[in-house]
Amino acid sequence: MKNKILVTGGAGYIGTHTCIALHESGYEIVIYDNLSNSSYEAINRVSNLIGQSIEFIEGDIRDAGKLKEIFNLHEFFGVIHFAGLKAVGESVAKPLMYYDNNVSGTITLLAVMAEFGVKNLVFSSSATVYGDPETLPINETSPRSATNPYGQSKLTVEHVLEDLAAADKEWSLITLRYFNPVGAHESGQIGEDPSDIPNNLMPFISQVAVGRRDKLSIFGNDYPTIDGTGVRDYIHVTDLAQGHVAALDHLQQQTHAAGFLPINLGTGRGSSVLELVNAFSKVNKIDIPYQFAARRAGDIASCYASADKAQELLGWQAKLSITNMCEDTWRWQSMNPDGYNTK
Ligand code: NAD
Ligand code: UDP
């Protein structure tokens, strides 16, 4: 059976963890990444962890010529498509850059896949496509909307995939909607390495813990939630990585193409900002100074997944706890205070 997978954006946070899980499950991997938000060091560390040199090609998903060269060289079973830009604030300031990278880039990739008859895709979507949910937990048929160009770029790609599946029944287009990925590999060798001031909560907490930032600002304490702070469904990146293996295994086993298949990857449990901060402090025995600040524009009160479809269809469910997420984040951060720049 063909088991070679092209992993676009495989040098990034979720990509590196997924490459390790894929390798452990017997898949062969080729990483394709332009290193716009990652580094050679991340790839070296993946190679060290799997005990062999991982195949890496530096390139951009918008470069059809380069993609064709790679598809000529390798016979792929499918593509896991992580490559994209993900900073919400930057997307508001630079919408063209986001639509070009995330939407045009994906269309270029899909066109090359079609040309070479490779019609299995696992796409990184996001819970952001649910906008401000009317009901909780969120399931895959909940209404979709976007509040910023990043979210709109994910939603647009989803529409492209739906249209493609309708036009050509040979495609299997699994669209994984991630909730809030956090944590790091248990070795402490790979993890999330924001190049700028972190936008996301967990990297901010861990940079406060390591002394790179003075204190955390908690955006809003007057939401209609358990303690007034925002509630999210935090999921360990190792569980998320296993979700991708489960998605590919599902595609390997089926006799008919899956069409457009959206699946939530979340735990089904929500935690508030204060709950996460307190868990991090308790588990790692580190005080995290914080102050309450105004709500962040565009934020919603609560968001958590129904993870039933992933369980029923893929036999996948998240196993790791908030405690694991806090421990593993801190192991990575304390061993690598400056991320991959740490000497
Ligand atoms: P990341 O930035 O760490 O990884 C993305 C990788 O893609 C980086 O290595 C980057 O260099 C590469 N890349 C970007 N544009 C490229 C291009 N044009 N050509 C080739 N490579 C390119 O991000 P991540 O957190 O690992 O996220 C992976 C995917 O999951 C993204 O599509 C992101 O939007 C999506 N996602 C992430 C989260 C999250 O919170 N981390 C949540 C939901 C969805
Ligand atoms: N948050 C916060 N301070 C920060 C970063 C985030 O209080 O410095 C809050 C944010 O308002 C939200 C939660 O933490 O309620 C998760 O935010 P994140 O940006 O990590 O994820 P998203 O909002 O995209 O789900």
Side-chain angles (χ1 to χ4, degrees):
M1 192 177 290
K2 276 199 289 183
N3 71 347
K4 199 181 262 191
I5 309 297
L6 180 69
V7 184
T8 76
Y13 171 46
I14 304 169
T16 45
H17 291 82
T18 302
C19 285
I20 290 170
L22 289 171
H23 173 81
E24 285 169 352
S25 300
Y27 286 98
E28 264 186 84
I29 308 149
V30 176
I31 294 181
Y32 187 71
D33 198 303
N34 67 0
L35 301 183
S36 58
N37 196 35
S38 49
S39 62
Y40 287 111
E41 180 59 17
I43 292 162
N44 289 338
R45 293 199 184 183
V46 171
S47 294
N48 288 339
L49 284 167
I50 66 173
Q52 68 185 63
S53 178
I54 198 158
E55 184 155 0
F56 168 61
I57 299 161
E58 188 170 345
D60 196 294
I61 49 166
R62 292 163 296 181
D63 185 345
K66 189 143 198 176
L67 283 172
K68 286 182 195 178
E69 278 173 33
I70 297 168
F71 277 76
N72 263 317
L73 278 177
H74 299 274
E75 237 186 90
F76 292 116
F77 170 73
V79 176
I80 301 188
H81 178 34
F82 293 109
L85 302 174
K86 62 168 183 177
V88 172
E90 187 183 50
S91 81
V92 175
K94 298 176 180 170
L96 293 181
M97 190 167 109
Y98 272 67
Y99 288 117
D100 184 38
N101 220 302
N102 295 2
V103 180
S104 305
T106 302
I107 291 171
T108 302
L109 172 68
L110 289 167
V112 173
M113 290 175 69
E115 190 179 324
F116 285 82
V118 177
K119 295 187 175 178
N120 294 315
L121 179 83
V122 178
F123 170 63
S124 299
S125 190
S126 166
T128 191
V129 301
Y130 295 118
D132 194 351
E134 285 161 21
T135 52
L136 292 167
I138 301 170
N139 68 41
E140 288 80 355
T141 57
S142 298
R144 288 173 291 169
S145 66
T147 53
N148 57 67
Y150 167 69
Q152 193 67 56
S153 76
K154 291 291 175 192
L155 195 48
T156 304
V157 170
E158 287 205 3
H159 290 315
V160 169
L161 299 181
E162 282 174 276
D163 290 344
L164 186 58
D168 177 350
K169 305 292 178 209
E170 291 179 358
W171 284 94
S172 291
L173 300 160
I174 297 192
T175 295
L176 298 178
R177 296 180 181 147
Y178 313 149
F179 279 67
N180 288 61
V182 296
H185 191 261
E186 59 177 359
S187 65
Q189 289 300 307
I190 57 170
E192 190 168 11
D193 184 21
S195 52
D196 221 329
I197 300 173
N199 295 301
N200 295 117
L201 179 61
M202 189 65 121
F204 206 106
I205 293 175
S206 64
Q207 290 198 7
V208 171
V210 84
R212 277 170 70 179
R213 320 254 159 227
D214 289 343
K215 61 177 158 214
L216 170 74
S217 289
I218 296 183
F219 301 140
N221 61 347
D222 57 353
Y223 285 108
T225 61
I226 179 172
D227 54 24
T229 66
V231 166
R232 298 290 184 275
D233 185 341
Y234 297 96
I235 172 166
H236 197 296
V237 67
T238 299
D239 278 331
L240 203 65
Q242 288 301 337
H244 293 76
V245 175
L248 280 182
D249 288 350
H250 176 74
L251 293 182
Q252 293 268 6
Q253 283 152 16
Q254 63 181 6
T255 48
H256 298 289
F260 175 72
L261 183 58
I263 300 178
N264 288 343
L265 291 185
T267 65
R269 286 180 305 275
S271 303
S272 74
V273 176
L274 275 177
E275 283 173 333
L276 195 69
V277 170
N278 291 334
F280 190 97
S281 298
K282 188 171 166 212
V283 169
N284 298 312
K285 302 185 178 56
I286 301 170
D287 188 39
I288 304 295
Y290 65 81
Q291 64 186 6
F292 291 115
R295 290 182 179 192
R296 185 170 64 178
D299 267 2
I300 56 176
S302 295
C303 169
Y304 52 91
S306 157
D308 293 350
K309 191 172 174 185
Q311 164 83 64
E312 282 156 22
L313 225 55
L314 308 181
W316 171 93
Q317 64 179 0
K319 295 195 176 84
L320 298 169
S321 65
I322 291 281
T323 299
N324 300 129
M325 300 178 208
C326 293
E327 273 172 359
D328 292 340
T329 298
W330 180 236
R331 188 177 305 108
W332 152 252
Q333 184 73 77
S334 55
M335 286 168 66
N336 306 271
D338 294 311
Y340 290 115
N341 283 327
T342 304
K343 291 284 171 287

